[in-house]
């Protein structure tokens, strides 16, 4: 094959397969295609060349950037005119630059403690308001009196079982007991965090599209 340079050679018989996740985190400001997604081509030299194409350079204080696969296709076709490109991943994706988020160990510990405290007291308040709205203590008192014939003093096996069973039930429900989990299915919290991440990525991508359309 006569090597004439990337601007003159036509690659009609070659196909590049690309795949991008909805969100991709990158550690450096300069992002190449090989870092942003998966690329495969039967011709390894073309695959290597595609991986080295510069996709984007994050500016100062910039953390997120949305892309359409059309932009990626245009970059690849610019280097390899006439080449076939197949996208088997997300049509739009978001790059997140993580370099700006590096914090000290003390700050990370402080943030972890703060999140734990907010989660603990927030959950405690939610449980208390639920118990108050449902009048749980009165229900326990009436059930105890109905089955035993004695007045409840608020310290019966019903209250004890409820106090122990509630946190255990939450731990089992969120699948967080033990360091190793046999099941591969995500916890409800992980599912919600994933949905939240997808929503954020979609919003950023829409803003990018609106900005390009202006």
């Amino acid at each position: 094959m006569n090597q004439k340079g990337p601007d003159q050679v036509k690659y009609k018989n070659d196909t590049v397969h690309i795949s991008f996740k909805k969100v991709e985190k990158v550690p450096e400001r300069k992002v190449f295609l090989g870092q942003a997604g998966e690329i495969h081509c039967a011709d390894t030299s073309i695959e290597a060349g595609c991986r080295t194409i510069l996709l984007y350079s994050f500016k100062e204080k910039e953390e997120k950037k949305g892309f359409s696969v059309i932009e990626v296709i245009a970059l690849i076709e610019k280097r390899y005119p006439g080449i076939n490109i197949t996208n088997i991943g997300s049509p739009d994706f978001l790059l997140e630059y993580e370099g700006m988020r590096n914090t000290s160990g003390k700050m990370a510990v402080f943030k972890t403690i703060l999140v734990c405290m907010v989660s603990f007291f927030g959950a405690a308040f939610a449980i208390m308001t639920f118990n108050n709205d449902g009048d749980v203590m009165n229900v326990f008192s009436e059930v105890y009196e109905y089955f035993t014939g004695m007045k409840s003093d608020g310290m019966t096996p019903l209250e004890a079982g409820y106090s122990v069973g509630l946190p255990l039930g939450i731990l089992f429900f969120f699948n967080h007991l033990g360091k190793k989990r046999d099941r591969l299915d995500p916890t409800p919290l992980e599912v919600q965090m994933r949905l939240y991440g997808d929503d954020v990525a979609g919003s950023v991508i829409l803003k990018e599209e609106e900005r390009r359309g202006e």
Side-chain angles (χ1 to χ4, degrees):
M1 180 175 170
N2 186 20
Q3 299 293 333
K4 297 181 180 181
D7 294 330
Q8 300 175 4
V9 178
K10 303 300 181 181
Y11 301 87
K12 294 182 179 179
N13 297 325
D14 296 295
T15 300
V16 175
H17 303 277
I18 58 176
S19 177
F20 296 91
K21 296 187 294 184
K22 193 71 175 180
V23 180
E24 185 67 38
K25 300 180 186 295
V26 293
E28 300 176 358
R29 291 188 184 276
K30 284 189 175 182
V31 184
F32 299 91
L33 284 186
Q35 298 172 305
E38 296 183 34
I39 300 173
H40 174 73
C41 181
D43 189 324
T44 55
S45 63
I46 295 178
E47 179 180 327
C50 290
R51 291 181 181 276
T52 59
I53 295 176
L54 180 63
L55 177 61
Y56 190 70
S57 293
F58 280 95
K59 303 177 181 65
E60 192 70 26
K61 296 184 178 180
E62 188 179 20
E63 293 185 1
K64 297 179 181 180
K65 178 68 176 178
F67 289 91
S68 170
V69 169
I70 298 299
E71 298 176 77
V72 177
I73 293 175
L75 289 173
I76 296 176
E77 287 182 337
K78 185 177 180 180
R79 176 171 292 190
Y80 301 103
I83 198 167
N84 298 309
I85 304 172
T86 302
N87 177 41
I88 55 177
S90 175
D92 303 293
F93 60 96
L94 178 71
L95 290 181
E96 286 190 8
Y97 172 56
E98 290 188 312
M100 296 181 62
R101 299 182 179 179
N102 294 332
T103 56
S104 63
K106 292 183 179 179
M107 181 59 68
V109 171
F110 172 75
K111 289 182 178 180
T112 301
I113 294 175
L114 181 61
V115 170
C116 290
M117 291 180 63
V118 171
S119 300
F120 176 80
F121 289 109
F125 181 76
I127 292 171
M128 288 188 292
T129 54
F130 168 77
N131 290 339
N132 185 59
D133 291 341
D135 202 6
V136 175
M137 299 308 296
N138 187 50
V139 172
F140 283 167
S141 178
E142 291 183 1
V143 170
Y144 183 79
E145 185 176 354
Y146 178 80
F147 281 99
T148 64
M150 297 183 294
K151 284 284 186 180
S152 172
D153 59 357
M155 297 291 291
T156 69
L158 289 176
E159 286 82 8
Y162 180 74
S163 300
V164 174
L166 182 63
L168 287 179
I170 293 173
L171 289 174
F172 275 111
F173 178 74
F174 283 99
N175 197 18
H176 280 162
L177 277 182
K179 294 183 178 180
K180 294 183 179 180
R181 295 180 299 182
D182 294 331
R183 295 183 297 172
L184 295 178
D185 56 310
T187 68
L189 183 60
E190 289 170 336
V191 172
Q192 291 302 316
M193 290 301 295
R194 175 68 65 181
L195 292 175
Y196 172 75
D198 289 343
D199 289 341
V200 170
S203 298
V204 174
I205 291 170
L206 284 175
K207 284 187 177 181
E208 290 287 344
E209 292 178 350
E210 292 173 357
R211 188 179 303 173
R212 286 195 293 265
E214 293 178 355

